[in-house]
Amino acid sequence: MSTFLFLGSGEFEPWSTEVEKVALADAVGDGSVAILPTASAAEGDHVFDRWGQMGLNHYRDDGVPAAVVPVKTGEDASRDDLVAAVESASMIYFSGGKPSRLAAVLRGSPLFAAIHRALERGAVYAGCSAGAMVASRARDAGGRRGTSWLFGLGLVPNVSFGVHWDRAARIPGAQWWMTSRLPDDTWFVGIDERTAILGDGVGWSVHGLGRVTLRGPADDATYRAGDGFETP
């Protein structure tokens, strides 16, 4: 059974410590967190390194072993040493940036295959912002309009994830525009900033400071920390 931790924003901040401890308690691996700021690589090494250091500081303060895995390009995602570092970790954490960049690096790579193997043996896939969005259902093969996010890699096959969802609500039409691009049979989960969901791809629990918006084929609902919901 796979385990996923998705954050709407606020990676490596104190509010997320509690839910990360819950996720790591049952994770299988070497006990460490592999930090991958891959989605920020297009912004330059200084941004990539800053996110990596934030992650190291966060987990050091929490007493959790962690290491930055420097995957910036498709070539990096094929390096045996970097693939092995990811596959052995208890949590594989992709922080924010550009989801299209992250998806392009991961799609079809040995690293992505290693992530699947790690999930199968009990590791946690954690993603914040772009890291959460790329876990969305994959685009339909026909490529028709409204076939989910173009960068969805299908880690969660039947759901698409939106992030910074409360911020999107402050932009007229933004939430409608984003969800209008999804097929009618898609489950959609919008995650507010500094809010997280933890689950197995079907059953989820809500953590953090904001709300989670669930939109299914038939109805909508909102949830707060302590609530649970399903995406059948």
Side-chain angles (χ1 to χ4, degrees), residues 48-124:
F48 184 98
D49 293 342
R50 176 167 54 83
W51 282 116
Q53 190 60 53
M54 285 177 62
L56 293 175
N57 294 344
H58 173 72
Y59 290 113
R60 182 193 63 219
D61 292 344
D62 291 343
V64 177
V68 176
V69 183
V71 175
K72 301 178 182 180
T73 67
E75 289 76 14
D76 294 335
S78 297
R79 283 177 47 183
D80 291 343
D81 57 333
L82 301 184
V83 170
V86 166
E87 189 166 3
S88 63
S90 292
M91 180 183 286
I92 303 161
Y93 197 127
F94 287 93
S95 53
K98 297 184 181 300
S100 56
R101 169 66 178 249
L102 178 56
V105 170
L106 291 180
R107 185 176 284 112
S109 70
L111 180 63
F112 194 54
I115 290 170
H116 278 286
R117 292 193 296 270
L119 285 170
E120 288 172 359
R121 58 117 168 113
V124 178

Side-chain angles (χ1 to χ4, degrees), residues 195-221:
T195 306
I197 59 172
L198 176 65
D200 61 5
V202 175
W204 304 91
S205 58
V206 181
H207 306 259
L209 308 180
R211 299 186 304 174
V212 168
T213 300
L214 175 65
R215 298 186 178 182
D219 54 12
D220 299 350

Side-chain angles (χ1 to χ4, degrees), residues 14-228:
W15 72 269
S16 65
T17 293
E18 180 181 355
V19 66
E20 289 172 0
K21 287 182 176 179
V22 173
L24 283 166
D26 295 324
V28 178
D30 62 10
S32 74
V33 178
I35 302 167
L36 294 102
T38 308
S40 70
E43 300 174 63
D45 289 349
H46 65 292
V47 176
F48 184 98
D49 293 342
R50 176 167 54 83
W51 282 116
Q53 190 60 53
M54 285 177 62
L56 293 175
N57 294 344
H58 173 72
Y59 290 113
R60 182 193 63 219
D61 292 344
D62 291 343
V64 177
V68 176
V69 183
V71 175
K72 301 178 182 180
T73 67
E75 289 76 14
D76 294 335
S78 297
R79 283 177 47 183
D80 291 343
D81 57 333
L82 301 184
V83 170
V86 166
E87 189 166 3
S88 63
S90 292
M91 180 183 286
I92 303 161
Y93 197 127
F94 287 93
S95 53
K98 297 184 181 300
S100 56
R101 169 66 178 249
L102 178 56
V105 170
L106 291 180
R107 185 176 284 112
S109 70
L111 180 63
F112 194 54
I115 290 170
H116 278 286
R117 292 193 296 270
L119 285 170
E120 288 172 359
R121 58 117 168 113
V124 178
Y125 175 97
C128 183
S129 191
M133 295 180 80
V134 298
S136 299
R137 63 173 282 174
R139 186 185 186 193
D140 293 346
R144 60 184 174 82
R145 181 184 181 278
T147 53
S148 193
W149 312 139
L150 301 183
F151 40 75
L153 297 177
L155 284 172
V156 181
N158 301 313
V159 186
S160 287
F161 300 95
V163 295
H164 305 279
W165 201 238
D166 47 347
R167 182 189 293 183
R170 299 193 291 269
I171 303 172
Q175 290 185 338
W176 173 86
W177 180 79
M178 292 178 70
T179 55
S180 70
R181 303 169 68 194
L182 304 174
D184 292 339
D185 60 348
T186 295
W187 289 85
F188 174 82
V189 177
I191 309 170
D192 284 359
E193 296 189 325
R194 292 184 171 85
T195 306
I197 59 172
L198 176 65
D200 61 5
V202 175
W204 304 91
S205 58
V206 181
H207 306 259
L209 308 180
R211 299 186 304 174
V212 168
T213 300
L214 175 65
R215 298 186 178 182
D219 54 12
D220 299 350
T222 57
Y223 303 94
R224 291 188 178 274
D227 293 339

